Amino acid sequence: MTLFPILMALLGSFKSNAELTAGATILPDIWHYKNYAEVWEQAHFSTYTWNSLYVSIITTAGTLIVASMAAYAVDRLNYFGKSFYVALQASTMFISIGAVVLRPQFELMVKLQLHTSLTGVILILISGHAYIFFILLSFVKAIPRELDEAAMIDGCSKVWIFTRIIFPLLKPGLGVAALFTFRNAWNEYILPLVFTMSQPKLQTLTVGLAGLRYGIASAAQTHYMMAGACLSILPLLIVYVLANKTFMQVTSGSVKG
């Protein structure tokens, strides 16, 4: 049930627009491999792909840094308001980032003069990291505190402990968090649509893909949409392959006894 629509999209990407619209056959009568070249060049798909990669990579890196530091601070440090901070993070998971807070976010970015750039989109996506925070928090809790104590005896500071001990041992959690963060940033549609209305060259792949329906010849170009959708899946598959190896926990054996 999950793979069948993907298979139909893949086969449809090699059909002509007339054949795909008719829907009479499953396999293409004539395999139109040029659909991919045309959608890449004529539909500015290369620009959309670069914009999506830029947003997704920067968002993923920023989210991992911010969420991992927050998880370390919550688990290892004692300070006033820690419980309130955790409760506040949990409460944001029950608020729709798109519909409820879209206008206030946009007005905030207008005041910061970031409403016509992808920087505003990146900042908003990084700020919505609550579930990544809780994922990394569970991994930080699994790291033995004896490692921190041993490092403190050797004269290490909190910053040194985090950067040289905690962060490397978070590799499995960071891999999972990176996969989820990259996927959500790559598939984000509402924010890039709103922030790039006046800047078509900054549109991401999801926004540009929706515009392919009428973008090339002022008519429904469904076969181009199918080809574009298949191309948009490739980066997610690559990220999954790279992050899949980090799913195993690697902290076992770090402390004897």
Side-chain angles (χ1 to χ4, degrees):
M1 294 297 292
T2 302
L3 295 179
F4 182 74
I6 299 177
L7 178 62
M8 295 302 297
L10 180 61
L11 295 175
S13 65
F14 293 103
K15 296 180 180 180
S16 64
N17 194 39
E19 182 182 359
L20 184 61
T21 304
T25 60
I26 296 179
L27 295 175
D29 293 335
I30 300 177
W31 292 77
H32 296 270
Y33 299 100
K34 64 179 182 179
N35 288 348
Y36 285 88
E38 292 177 354
V39 77
W40 183 264
E41 296 176 0
Q42 300 181 23
H44 308 291
F45 208 75
S46 58
T47 302
Y48 300 148
T49 302
W50 165 251
N51 292 337
S52 289
L53 285 174
Y54 171 73
V55 171
S56 301
I57 292 175
I58 300 300
T59 298
T60 301
T63 300
L64 294 183
I65 293 173
V66 173
S68 61
M69 290 192 298
Y72 171 75
V74 168
D75 184 63
R76 294 297 206 262
L77 306 180
N78 294 318
Y79 54 90
F80 176 77
K82 183 169 71 172
S83 299
F84 174 76
Y85 174 78
V86 175
L88 184 63
Q89 286 275 34
S91 65
T92 60
M93 299 176 65
F94 299 93
I95 301 176
S96 174
I97 296 299
V100 177
V101 298
L102 181 58
R103 180 172 179 177
Q105 287 175 339
F106 185 78
E107 292 178 349
L108 176 61
M109 292 303 155
V110 169
K111 294 181 180 180
L112 296 176
Q113 297 182 355
L114 297 175
H115 60 289
T116 58
S117 68
L118 293 177
T119 304
V121 177
I122 293 173
L123 290 177
I124 293 174
L125 292 177
I126 292 177
S127 65
H129 65 270
Y131 72 101
I132 299 298
F133 161 75
F134 285 106
I135 290 176
L136 295 181
L137 180 61
S138 64
F139 278 89
V140 173
K141 290 180 179 294
I143 298 176
R145 290 179 177 266
E146 287 82 356
L147 296 176
D148 299 43
E149 297 174 357
M152 293 179 65
I153 293 175
D154 291 337
C156 294
S157 63
K158 296 292 185 181
V159 176
W160 187 272
I161 293 174
F162 172 75
T163 56
R164 295 304 180 94
I165 298 177
I166 302 299
F167 195 80
L169 291 178
L170 281 178
K171 185 179 179 181
L174 293 174
V176 176
L179 179 61
F180 291 157
T181 306
F182 188 92
R183 181 198 63 185
N184 292 340
W186 183 268
N187 292 329
E188 181 63 37
Y189 175 74
I190 296 297
L191 286 176
L193 174 65
V194 173
F195 280 76
T196 60
M197 284 184 176
S198 60
Q199 301 288 337
K201 293 183 179 180
L202 296 180
Q203 290 181 350
T204 58
L205 201 151
T206 52
V207 179
L209 183 60
L212 288 179
R213 185 186 305 178
Y214 304 107
I216 298 178
S218 298
Q221 302 291 323
T222 312
H223 59 312
Y224 288 142
M225 292 189 65
M226 294 293 183
C230 292
L231 286 175
S232 66
I233 297 175
L234 291 178
L236 292 178
L237 293 178
I238 295 174
V239 171
Y240 172 76
V241 172
L242 295 176
N244 187 38
K245 296 180 180 180
T246 66
F247 286 177
M248 295 185 298
Q249 181 60 260
V250 296
T251 59
S252 59
S254 59
V255 177
K256 294 183 179 180

